[in-house]
């Protein structure tokens, strides 16, 4: 899953490049550009963690707050062996645009720990979570910066972190973190929210393009939290997912799993580990064709849903996308490299950009904060109904602007988001 080009891909450079282009179009003044093209604060630290065998391992942790002019910084926390500060910077910046495009009163942040949770026992993961909080607690808080789950982190990780923070502070502060378990301050619908939100935007895009969801095919990269719930709701709309690409921990490689008449979500879940990795041998037994990693991109489907990691569609593989593909819904953050993005545009493929398509997670996190603050919890239908309203309104605002000004959806989403954040910075007198 790498770009294969000579200079290693750098997500932060890609995010800055996207920002510079929109800043130019919006004719932002120099201070606003300078402020917004880099994070306002970033923390990089060591987390000494006691392992089960009694030894101590030092993990590297990051938290980056890109901008908090519109409200407390907000964003997930990833556990990944290849995590870098630059990737976290890019993801923090995209969080700022994400919260702004759906118009929730939050800024953007992201965190990461360089680790592979597959190799850590639950006890070790708990101590790592608590260690993370101890290192950064003074710089987090319900009104400062609010973490959430992301790649390979779950509601259990959030609860350990909350418990550590509340213990340090000596009070209950459920607004410290979102994505908490239901019954422990979490919101119903939060787990499904990102994947469902992706499908709300697909539904709107299909309407706009005059296509019916019914009978439409999709191929998905990833089988984590975002992908699984996108597959679920897409199926409920009458669509068929024919291929899923995902990591196989035992083989230490990714593969695509295909069933031409449609993958069965429950069946695939039964052969999946808790990090969304599919066991290849067991999938084969269930009748799935096991294809190379790249096959998900080459399928004859109308919709592609990259819902794994950044830079998965890039200059070296963009041409292998099948001519049948009409829509790409970016479930992951930053799955399309800049050159590939240009190619998709010139091929007329309709891209629903990441920070719009996958904004359902943070929007539901915002609902979770509202519920936690009121200490009154909504029914699941109310959460998902409000999520649909918010996502659909954001989609329509972006697509109206895109049509009116003949912009790509990504450019229109950027214009709306950057304008809102720049205005907040100006109104506060920062620039
Ligand atoms: N990690 C999710 C994202 O990338 C959600 C962040 C949040 O809920 O704060 O959007």
């Amino acid at each position: 899953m790498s770009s294969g080009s000579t200079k290693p891909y750098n997500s932060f450079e890609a995010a800055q490049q996207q920002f510079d282009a929109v800043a130019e179009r919006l004719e932002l003044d120099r201070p606003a550009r300078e402020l917004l093209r880099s994070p306002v604060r970033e923390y990089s630290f060591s987390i000494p963690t006691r392992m089960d065998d009694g030894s101590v391992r030092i993990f590297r942790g990051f938290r980056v707050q890109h901008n908090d002019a519109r409200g407390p910084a907000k964003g997930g926390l990833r556990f990944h062996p290849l995590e870098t500060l630059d990737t976290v910077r890019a993801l923090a910046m995209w969080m700022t645009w994400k919260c702004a495009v759906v118009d929730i009163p939050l800024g953007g942040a992201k965190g990461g720990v360089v680790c592979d949770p597959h190799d850590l026992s639950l006890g070790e993961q708990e101590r790592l979570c608590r260690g993370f909080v101890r290192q950064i607690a003074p710089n987090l808080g319900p009104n400062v910066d609010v973490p959430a789950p992301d790649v390979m982190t779950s509601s259990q990780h959030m609860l350990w972190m909350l418990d550590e923070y509340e213990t340090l502070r000596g009070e209950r502060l459920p607004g410290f973190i979102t994505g908490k378990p239901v019954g422990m301050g979490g919101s119903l619908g939060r787990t499904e929210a990102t994947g469902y939100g992706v499908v709300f935007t697909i539904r709107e895009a299909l309407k706009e393009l005059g296509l019916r969801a019914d009978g439409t095919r999709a191929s998905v990269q990833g089988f984590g939290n975002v992908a699984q719930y996108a597959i679920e709701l897409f199926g409920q709309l009458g669509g068929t997912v024919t291929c899923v690409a995902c990591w196989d921990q035992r083989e230490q490689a990714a593969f695509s799993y295909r069933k031409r008449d449609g993958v069965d979500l429950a069946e695939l879940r039964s052969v999946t580990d808790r990090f969304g990795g599919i066991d290849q041998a067991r999938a084969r037994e269930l009748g799935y064709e096991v294809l190379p990693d790249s096959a998900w991109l080459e399928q004859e489907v109308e919709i592609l849903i990259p819902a794994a990691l950044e830079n998965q569609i890039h200059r070296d593989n963009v041409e292998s996308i099948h001519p049948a593909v009409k829509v790409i819904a970016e479930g992951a953050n930053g799955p399309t490299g800049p050159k590939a993005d240009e190619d998709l545009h010139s091929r007329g493929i309709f891209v629903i950009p990441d920070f719009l398509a996958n904004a359902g997670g943070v929007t539901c996190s915002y609902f979770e904060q509202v519920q936690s603050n009121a200490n009154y919890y909504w029914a699941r239908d109310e959460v998902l109904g409000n999520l649909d309203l918010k996502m659909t309104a954001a989609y329509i605002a972006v697509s109206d602007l895109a049509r009116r000004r003949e912009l790509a959806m990504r450019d229109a989403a950027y214009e709306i988001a950057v304008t809102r954040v720049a205005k907040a910075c100006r109104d506060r007198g920062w620039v």
Side-chain angles (χ1 to χ4, degrees), residues 63 73-78 91 94-95 98-99 104 106-107 109-110 146-151 153 177-179 190 194 226 331-333 354-355 358-366 368-369:
R63 186 74 186 171
K74 185 83 190 80
L77 176 60
R78 317 199 310 173
L91 292 161
W94 286 324
M95 283 309 303
K98 191 181 302 191
C99 294
I104 53 179
L106 297 168
K110 202 72 155 203
V146 183
D150 205 288
V151 171
T153 53
I177 210 158
T178 60
R190 175 64 185 85
T194 316
V226 181
N333 293 308
D354 48 4
F355 66 87
N358 70 31
V362 75
T363 303
C364 197
S365 280
Y366 167 60
E368 181 175 328
Q369 286 186 304

Side-chain angles (χ1 to χ4, degrees), residues 104-138:
I104 53 179
L106 297 168
K110 202 72 155 203
V113 176
V114 186
C115 72
D116 190 343
H118 291 96
D119 302 337
L120 301 174
S121 71
L122 280 180
E124 289 165 345
Q125 290 179 48
E126 176 177 351
R127 293 190 287 279
L128 179 58
C129 286
R130 291 183 184 279
F132 182 92
V133 170
R134 282 196 300 276
Q135 295 298 36
I136 185 76

Side-chain angles (χ1 to χ4, degrees), residues 114-421:
V114 186
C115 72
D116 190 343
H118 291 96
D119 302 337
L120 301 174
S121 71
L122 280 180
E124 289 165 345
Q125 290 179 48
E126 176 177 351
R127 293 190 287 279
L128 179 58
C129 286
R130 291 183 184 279
F132 182 92
V133 170
R134 282 196 300 276
Q135 295 298 36
I136 185 76
N139 306 106
L140 299 178
N143 297 316
V144 180
D145 177 3
V146 183
D150 205 288
V151 171
M152 288 202 274
T153 53
S154 66
S155 59
Q156 176 63 71
H157 297 115
M158 301 304 110
L159 187 56
W160 286 325
M161 292 195 190
L162 174 68
D163 187 67
E164 189 65 25
Y165 187 75
E166 291 182 332
T167 304
L168 287 171
R169 295 286 304 268
E171 57 183 322
R172 291 281 171 253
L173 290 158
F176 163 72
I177 210 158
T178 60
K180 299 180 288 292
V182 171
M184 295 299 295
S187 172
L188 289 167
R190 175 64 185 85
T191 313
E192 305 90 302
T194 316
Y196 278 18
V198 172
V199 177
F200 293 150
T201 66
I202 291 176
R203 181 195 64 205
E204 294 307 308
L206 292 177
K207 252 190 246 169
E208 185 171 346
L209 299 174
L211 298 168
R212 289 165 53 97
D214 205 11
T216 306
R217 296 160 299 177
S219 176
V220 179
Q221 188 195 33
F223 198 61
N225 184 54
V226 181
Q228 290 191 25
Y229 289 101
I231 294 170
E232 181 173 288
L233 191 62
F234 186 64
Q236 286 171 19
L237 293 187
T240 307
V241 172
T242 59
C243 187
V244 171
C246 131
W247 184 252
D248 181 332
Q249 183 64 12
R250 202 170 312 159
E251 298 286 330
Q252 286 292 299
F255 298 93
S256 292
Y257 301 90
R258 183 167 67 184
K259 250 192 195 175
R260 287 186 191 275
D261 52 356
V263 305
D264 181 318
L265 187 60
E267 198 176 70
L268 273 185
R269 275 180 175 149
S270 73
V271 296
T272 300
D273 68 27
R274 65 201 145 102
F275 302 108
I278 292 176
D279 182 323
Q280 188 194 136
R282 294 179 63 202
R284 212 186 286 273
E285 277 165 25
L286 291 170
Y288 286 84
E289 285 176 78
V290 181
L291 305 169
D293 173 21
S294 56
W296 77 276
L297 197 65
E298 298 155 13
Q299 297 305 302
E300 184 179 353
V301 291
E302 290 69 37
I303 303 171
L304 292 177
I305 309 178
L309 293 172
E310 53 283 351
N311 196 36
Q312 298 302 305
I313 304 176
H314 46 73
R315 61 169 76 232
D316 301 326
N317 66 8
V318 64
E319 277 177 17
S320 62
I321 292 177
H322 196 280
V325 171
K326 305 229 165 12
V327 175
I328 297 184
E330 296 183 329
N333 293 308
T336 309
K339 170 70 173 61
D341 204 27
E342 281 170 27
D343 286 10
L344 295 174
H345 189 60
S346 55
R347 276 177 63 175
I349 296 177
F350 190 90
V351 178
I352 313 172
D354 48 4
F355 66 87
L356 172 64
N358 70 31
V362 75
T363 303
C364 197
S365 280
Y366 167 60
F367 296 157
E368 181 175 328
Q369 286 186 304
V370 171
Q371 294 169 78
S372 286
N373 289 342
N375 201 14
Y376 174 78
Y377 289 87
W378 310 345
R380 182 172 180 272
D381 283 354
E382 188 173 358
V383 176
L384 294 176
N386 282 330
L387 181 67
D388 195 350
L389 287 176
K390 205 80 184 131
M391 295 286 298
T392 303
Y395 178 94
I396 289 172
V398 171
S399 95
D400 279 354
L401 182 66
R403 235 172 306 127
R404 213 169 51 239
R405 299 254 321 280
E406 293 184 10
L407 295 170
M409 286 288 279
R410 192 184 315 278
D411 294 337
Y414 258 113
E415 289 206 6
I416 291 175
V418 172
T419 301
R420 286 182 180 153
V421 179

